[in-house]
Amino acid sequence: PSALNALSEGLVNDLAHALDELEPAKDIACVVLTGSQRAFCAGADIKELQAHSFPEVYTENFITRNWERIVDFRKPVIAAVSGVALGGGCELAMMCDFIIAARSARFAQPEIKVGVIPGAGGTQRLARWIGKSKAMEMCLTGRMMDAAEAERAGLVSRVVPAASLLDEALKAAETIASFSRPVVMMTKETVNRSYELTLAEGIRFERRVFHSMFALEDKAEGMTAFVEKRPPQFRNR
């Protein structure tokens, strides 16, 4: 906390281990990742990075080894961002499925100021989320983007008062958790594929996933409940 959640090796390992425990947990359908009111995350632990050499980071597969665990996590993850999300903190938020930001939220990729580039997806995800021009400016100047601009640019899904940030994030998580878990997971996978495939191949993948849902008990229950004008009782199968 005194380092504003700087992403030390220990912190990132703990996060990866937590996700390992949450993914198979049958009573967990959605995860909210948040920090304090002052900071979501101040970025990588520079004091720790200062001592690393090229052979070390290359052979140890630095970042890929544990940071990317959140990208492989199959259940939805919501980032609830208050205060600063800098460098690796901004990149970690972008690894989540969507971001809900407090009005106090600030985003930046200031790595250039310490002689490196964003190395946890900042040059790639940021450009895909907000476009080349804004991403290039942020990576080349290190300037900070406030919550209002982040919402306009598409970096965050919505902005809420700081006092209600966690409540709003949990409401979104509860809504997601009320739906069929296989359908939620397949929806996440399908949307993520849109960033990796051509439009034609993405549509083909979407169609096959859609077709496969007709084998689910939850599809039958959801549509039957709609016709019968009652709430569905999903059983996650």
Side-chain angles (χ1 to χ4, degrees), residues 26 29 173-187 213-227 230-237:
K26 293 183 178 180
E174 288 168 0
T175 297
I176 292 168
S178 72
F179 300 132
S180 165
R181 195 166 306 168
V183 173
V184 165
M185 294 169 70
M186 285 189 275
T187 301
M213 290 176 176
F214 282 69
L216 294 175
E217 290 183 18
D218 285 342
K219 172 266 177 188
E221 166 61 14
M223 293 190 175
T224 300
F226 178 84
V227 171
R230 62 173 174 81
Q233 300 295 317
F234 294 124
R235 302 179 68 183
N236 299 320
R237 59 190 189 190

Side-chain angles (χ1 to χ4, degrees), residues 186-187 189-190 193 197 199-216:
M186 285 189 275
T187 301
E189 181 181 5
T190 306
R193 281 295 183 100
L197 302 174
L199 177 59
E201 287 302 312
I203 292 293
R204 189 189 307 275
F205 182 81
E206 176 195 83
R207 198 63 35 80
R208 295 295 177 258
V209 173
F210 177 71
H211 289 164
S212 73
M213 290 176 176
F214 282 69
L216 294 175

Side-chain angles (χ1 to χ4, degrees), residues 3-228:
L4 302 181
N5 301 326
L7 295 166
S8 65
E9 187 78 358
L11 188 154
V12 177
N13 285 337
D14 285 349
L15 175 59
H17 292 155
L19 293 172
D20 286 341
E21 293 179 357
L22 292 171
E23 189 162 57
K26 293 183 178 180
D27 59 338
I28 301 296
C30 186
V31 172
V32 175
L33 183 63
T34 193
S36 66
Q37 286 194 350
R38 185 180 174 192
F40 175 76
C41 174
D45 188 331
I46 301 300
K47 292 180 180 178
E48 189 176 86
L49 294 186
Q50 185 182 18
H52 287 352
S53 66
F54 168 70
E56 288 174 336
V57 295
Y58 181 76
T59 56
E60 295 173 7
N61 209 14
F62 177 59
I63 294 177
T64 309
R65 171 178 88 250
N66 46 16
W67 291 49
E68 294 282 331
R69 178 64 183 91
I70 196 167
V71 178
D72 298 328
F73 191 73
R74 299 181 70 198
K75 297 174 182 177
V77 183
I78 302 169
V81 177
S82 180
V84 295
L86 307 179
C90 184
E91 291 168 310
L92 186 66
M94 288 191 290
M95 290 178 188
C96 299
D97 293 302
F98 62 91
I99 302 169
I100 299 177
R103 289 174 184 154
S104 63
R106 300 290 184 272
F107 302 87
Q109 297 290 166
E111 288 89 345
I112 200 164
K113 297 180 180 180
V114 295
V116 292
I117 66 169
T123 65
Q124 304 303 302
R125 291 190 179 95
L126 193 62
R128 284 166 170 77
W129 285 36
I130 69 175
K132 176 188 173 183
S133 186
K134 278 187 178 292
M136 189 72 81
E137 181 197 12
M138 289 182 70
C139 291
L140 288 177
T141 69
R143 84 166 177 89
M144 205 168 286
M145 176 184 284
D146 64 23
E149 183 183 0
E151 184 179 30
R152 290 195 305 270
L155 180 60
V156 307
S157 63
R158 55 194 169 100
V159 178
V160 301
S164 60
L165 173 64
L166 193 53
D167 287 341
E168 291 295 327
L170 289 172
K171 283 179 186 177
E174 288 168 0
T175 297
I176 292 168
S178 72
F179 300 132
S180 165
R181 195 166 306 168
V183 173
V184 165
M185 294 169 70
M186 285 189 275
T187 301
K188 168 174 173 167
E189 181 181 5
T190 306
V191 173
N192 282 335
R193 281 295 183 100
S194 71
Y195 284 90
E196 308 295 337
L197 302 174
T198 64
L199 177 59
E201 287 302 312
I203 292 293
R204 189 189 307 275
F205 182 81
E206 176 195 83
R207 198 63 35 80
R208 295 295 177 258
V209 173
F210 177 71
H211 289 164
S212 73
M213 290 176 176
F214 282 69
L216 294 175
E217 290 183 18
D218 285 342
K219 172 266 177 188
E221 166 61 14
M223 293 190 175
T224 300
F226 178 84
V227 171
E228 295 177 352

